[in-house]
Amino acid sequence: MPRSPRRLLGVLAAAAAAITLFSSASTAGAADAATAPAASASRSASAQALSTSTPVVFVHGYTGSASNWVTAKSVFQLNGWSSSNLFAYEYNSYGNNITNAQGLATFVDNVKAQTGASKVAIVNHSMGGLVSQYYLKVLGGNTSVSHLASIAGANHGTTYAGACLIYTTCQQMYPGSSFISQITSGDETPGTTKYATWYSACDGVILPYTSTKLDGATNNNVACQTHIGYLTDTVVLGQIARFVAS
């Protein structure tokens, strides 16, 4: 039985709509396929922006040693660093932090010469903050440092140092000392170095605990971590690795 003109027009309209829909989907699919490589390349470029080639120099705290950084080195390696780019500087905790900072300057120069890098990153803990700050600010070391991460650094001193004032280093670490004045007067974060700190009310050794914060730095308040606990805190150490890679 022949179809009516109205029904035939309806069939033709439906067919045209189906063809249009299929064509649009194909075009969209082609567009997605074309943009996928670009999006992938963009993600790759973003990932490559994180650099794990920068040598890292770890600076321990009062009575500490290179062994303090065993966990930190493992975390950095898990985040892409080669063990050959991870260094630990040791100094005399009972000597003088000016001498210790001068020693750090020599150590950094040696690391740069050994690795061929133009700059290093410094990660310090506790009194290592004083040694690092003196090196960067007073000795001009900021030109050789891309990132500085201070973990519970005694950057503005700690009254806890009152228990060991027979040593010059502890005298320098006490709030209000001439040493503290040198590293805190004016710009606390000189140069193009990226600065970050990690501090906690549960510290117990850096008193007041906010002493670690530096003006001009990214200051990270950790909910609750003890002074020594930071050294094995893989979460915080992971944050520091990513900061140094940025």
Side-chain angles (χ1 to χ4, degrees):
M1 180 172 137
R3 298 177 181 177
S4 69
R6 179 176 298 176
R7 186 175 180 185
L8 182 60
L9 287 174
V11 170
L12 291 174
I19 291 170
T20 301
L21 181 62
F22 177 78
S23 176
S24 298
S26 298
T27 303
D32 288 345
T35 58
S40 177
S42 177
R43 286 192 295 270
S44 296
S46 176
Q48 290 171 1
L50 297 178
S51 173
T52 58
S53 61
T54 303
V56 180
V57 174
F58 296 97
V59 184
H60 65 75
Y62 181 69
T63 73
S65 69
S67 64
N68 290 161
W69 301 109
V70 171
T71 301
K73 286 184 176 182
S74 295
V75 170
F76 269 72
Q77 285 181 261
L78 287 173
N79 278 272
W81 266 264
S82 165
S83 60
S84 61
N85 266 343
L86 302 175
F87 303 84
Y89 170 60
E90 291 191 321
Y91 60 86
N92 181 5
S93 292
Y94 311 105
N96 187 310
N97 281 322
I98 294 175
T99 303
N100 293 336
Q102 292 168 341
L104 177 58
T106 300
F107 190 86
V108 168
D109 287 344
N110 289 339
V111 168
K112 288 166 59 181
Q114 179 178 329
T115 61
S118 60
K119 293 187 177 185
V120 306
I122 288 180
V123 178
N124 65 58
H125 177 245
S126 195
M127 193 172 77
L130 300 188
V131 177
S132 302
Q133 288 300 106
Y134 195 93
Y135 165 56
L136 266 73
K137 181 170 181 173
V138 182
L139 301 182
N142 62 82
T143 58
S144 291
V145 180
S146 63
H147 298 73
L148 180 129
S150 187
I151 311 171
N155 300 323
H156 292 88
T158 172
T159 57
Y160 199 87
C164 56
L165 291 177
I166 58 172
Y167 300 113
T168 299
T169 49
C170 288
Q171 294 169 17
Q172 294 168 329
M173 191 162 43
Y174 199 81
S177 71
S178 58
F179 186 95
I180 296 292
S181 296
Q182 274 189 288
I183 64 174
T184 58
S185 62
D187 189 0
E188 294 186 347
T189 52
T192 58
T193 303
K194 293 182 179 179
Y195 296 78
T197 72
W198 281 259
Y199 67 103
S200 174
C202 298
D203 187 294
V205 172
I206 301 302
L207 305 171
Y209 72 95
T210 52
S211 172
T212 296
K213 296 168 62 177
L214 292 170
D215 288 340
T218 299
N219 298 299
N220 301 281
N221 190 348
V222 180
C224 191
Q225 184 53 275
T226 63
H227 192 67
I228 300 301
Y230 279 112
L231 298 175
T232 53
D233 187 332
T234 56
V235 173
V236 169
L237 294 172
Q239 292 172 1
I240 292 169
R242 290 188 289 277
F243 162 70
V244 172
S246 67

